[in-house]
């Protein structure tokens, strides 16, 4: 079974990033990772529970219904999952098609019913705990039965060494360009513009003042609004431009690129004004993030094992819950 987590993306002020790139990047990593205390909060547990089955093998053949348009009849230990509840649960399980959405929604309600029955069977909880606060009762049940291994220093250091490239900041580049624009499906025009791009590159290289010539040609020929600034795009890091442009851009060294870069927009004559390579962060800088990541991973594994046990011990009819424990979590 696979458990999903949300990794928020962070938008960085690139103008202030360079002087303290390693520290800012480290703070971003630490900020998105939950602490051990966070993992114990009821709302956090509830999110894990609701998502615990969301990446099951969501094949609608595992779901028994008399037609594609019907909601299924599913029972857990003889208790039927209310079809109205399934219909309401659908909104929380977007999927590629209706069958998959119904499967995921039904499966989530089966998990909740398994947890409800486990709360009722737990002597320290029981029906009174469920009636008083369902979410707190589930949280208490998980605290009692899900014991995650906390990663020690040796494990964290080993993870760092095995994934060391993941803890390197992206390079930062200061770039200007001249865009010779063309529609992506106009083959003849693209051949013409590619030749023109090489001619402009040669013209810049042969000029007594290449920088001034680049600015002049940008203002004269570029189809990008940056032509008003002599083609300057400012500071760029990964993820800011279209992939086909970026894949070539970050391989360039400082100076005028000898060949134009082709993108969906046309051909780009590119000059790298400055390039700051990525910074390798030390283990000390990222150890809190690694510790929290591995703790979260261990919690997911333990939670999956517990849900797997509950499902195996129950009599579930109407849905085939085929768990894939080996894919429980991907960081």
């Amino acid at each position: 079974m696979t458990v999903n987590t949300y990794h928020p993306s962070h938008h960085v002020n690139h103008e202030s990033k360079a002087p303290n790139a390693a520290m800012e990047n480290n703070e971003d990593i630490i900020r998105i990772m939950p602490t051990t205390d966070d993992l114990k909060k009821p709302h956090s547990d509830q999110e894990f529970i609701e998502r615990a089955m969301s990446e099951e093998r969501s094949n609608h053949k595992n779901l028994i219904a008399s037609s594609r348009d019907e909601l299924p009849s599913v029972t857990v230990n003889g208790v039927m999952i209310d079809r109205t509840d399934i219909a309401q649960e659908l909104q929380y399980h977007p999927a590629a098609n209706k069958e998959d959405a119904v499967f995921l929604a039904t499966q989530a309600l089966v998990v909740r019913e398994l947890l409800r029955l486990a709360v009722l069977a737990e002597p320290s909880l029981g029906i009174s705990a469920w009636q008083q606060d369902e979410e707190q009762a589930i949280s208490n049940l998980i605290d009692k039965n899900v014991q995650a291994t906390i990663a020690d220093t040796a494990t964290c250091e080993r993870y760092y060494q095995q994934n060391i490239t993941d803890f390197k900041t992206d390079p930062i580049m200061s770039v200007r360009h001249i865009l010779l624009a063309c529609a992506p499906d106009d083959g003849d025009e693209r051949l013409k513009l590619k030749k023109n791009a090489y001619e402009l590159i040669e013209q810049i290289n042969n000029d007594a003042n290449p920088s001034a010539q680049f600015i002049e040609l940008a203002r004269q020929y570029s189809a990008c609004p940056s032509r008003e600034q002599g083609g300057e795009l400012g500071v760029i890091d990964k993820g800011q431009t279209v992939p086909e442009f970026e894949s070539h851009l970050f391989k360039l060294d400082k100076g005028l690129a000898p060949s134009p870069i082709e993108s969906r927009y046309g051909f780009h004559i590119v000059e790298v004004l400055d390039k700051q390579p990525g910074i390798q962060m030390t283990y000390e800088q990222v150890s809190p993030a690694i510790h929290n990541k591995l703790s979260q991973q261990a919690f997911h594994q333990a939670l999956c094992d517990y849900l797997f046990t509950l499902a195996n011990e129950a009599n579930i009819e109407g849905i085939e819950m085929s768990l894939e424990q080996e894919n429980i979590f991907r960081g």
Side-chain angles (χ1 to χ4, degrees), residues 1-7 33 48 55 159 292-301 304 324-331:
M1 176 166 62
T2 304
V3 178
N4 276 338
T5 54
Y6 172 67
H7 298 279
M33 297 303 301
F48 289 140
E55 286 189 10
Y159 181 89
N292 287 333
K293 179 185 180 72
L294 296 182
S295 295
Q296 184 186 40
Q297 184 175 3
F299 179 85
H300 279 79
Q301 179 67 61
C304 178
E324 298 181 0
Q325 295 186 73
E326 68 274 14
N327 295 324
I328 180 168
F329 179 78
R330 297 186 186 277

Side-chain angles (χ1 to χ4, degrees), residues 74-81 109-111 113-114 116-117 310 314-317 319 321:
V74 176
T75 61
V76 179
N77 290 352
V79 177
M80 179 172 286
I81 301 298
L109 292 174
V110 169
V111 169
E113 178 61 16
L114 291 173
R116 186 187 74 86
L117 294 174
L310 293 180
N315 178 21
I316 302 173
E317 296 182 355
I319 185 171
M321 298 174 66

Side-chain angles (χ1 to χ4, degrees), residues 90-105:
L90 284 172
Q91 63 184 307
Y92 304 113
H93 301 275
N97 53 62
K98 178 182 176 181
E99 289 82 6
D100 287 353
V102 171
F103 180 81
L104 295 173

Side-chain angles (χ1 to χ4, degrees), residues 176-180 200 204 211-232 269:
R176 61 186 174 190
H177 80 145
I178 301 170
L179 171 61
L180 304 182
L200 292 179
I204 294 168
S211 181
Q213 180 69 357
F214 190 105
I215 293 171
E216 178 60 31
L217 293 176
R219 289 173 175 166
Q220 185 175 354
Y221 293 109
S222 183
C224 178
S226 64
R227 65 179 179 272
E228 301 299 331
Q229 290 77 43
E232 289 200 23
I269 299 166

Side-chain angles (χ1 to χ4, degrees), residues 8-150:
S9 59
H10 297 275
H11 301 284
V12 180
N13 182 337
H14 303 291
E15 294 181 356
S16 62
K17 180 176 180 180
N20 298 296
M23 181 59 69
E24 289 183 9
N25 198 300
N26 181 40
E27 289 174 354
D28 280 345
I29 292 173
I30 295 173
R31 186 162 54 248
I32 67 174
M33 297 303 301
T35 65
T36 305
D37 288 340
D38 288 334
L39 296 177
K40 296 179 180 179
K41 293 178 180 179
H43 74 273
S44 183
D45 289 336
Q46 177 61 18
E47 180 181 354
F48 289 140
I49 293 160
E50 290 178 349
R51 294 174 179 267
M53 311 293 278
S54 64
E55 286 189 10
E56 291 291 304
R57 288 181 294 193
S58 52
N59 185 338
H60 66 270
K61 293 179 180 179
N62 290 341
L63 194 60
I64 301 173
S66 59
S67 79
R68 291 167 62 92
D69 297 323
E70 275 188 12
L71 293 176
S73 296
V74 176
T75 61
V76 179
N77 290 352
V79 177
M80 179 172 286
I81 301 298
D82 193 310
R83 290 179 177 178
T84 302
D85 292 342
I86 296 175
Q88 293 176 345
E89 183 72 16
L90 284 172
Q91 63 184 307
Y92 304 113
H93 301 275
N97 53 62
K98 178 182 176 181
E99 289 82 6
D100 287 353
V102 171
F103 180 81
L104 295 173
T106 306
Q107 194 164 226
L109 292 174
V110 169
V111 169
R112 186 168 185 82
E113 178 61 16
L114 291 173
L115 291 167
R116 186 187 74 86
L117 294 174
V119 168
L120 300 186
E122 175 59 50
S124 63
L125 295 172
I127 185 64
S128 60
W130 184 263
Q131 292 175 340
Q132 181 177 357
D133 189 330
E134 295 178 6
E135 306 307 330
Q136 186 60 52
I138 290 175
S139 180
N140 292 340
L141 178 74
I142 290 174
D143 284 344
K144 184 176 181 63
N145 292 278
V146 177
Q147 303 298 323
T149 303
I150 303 301

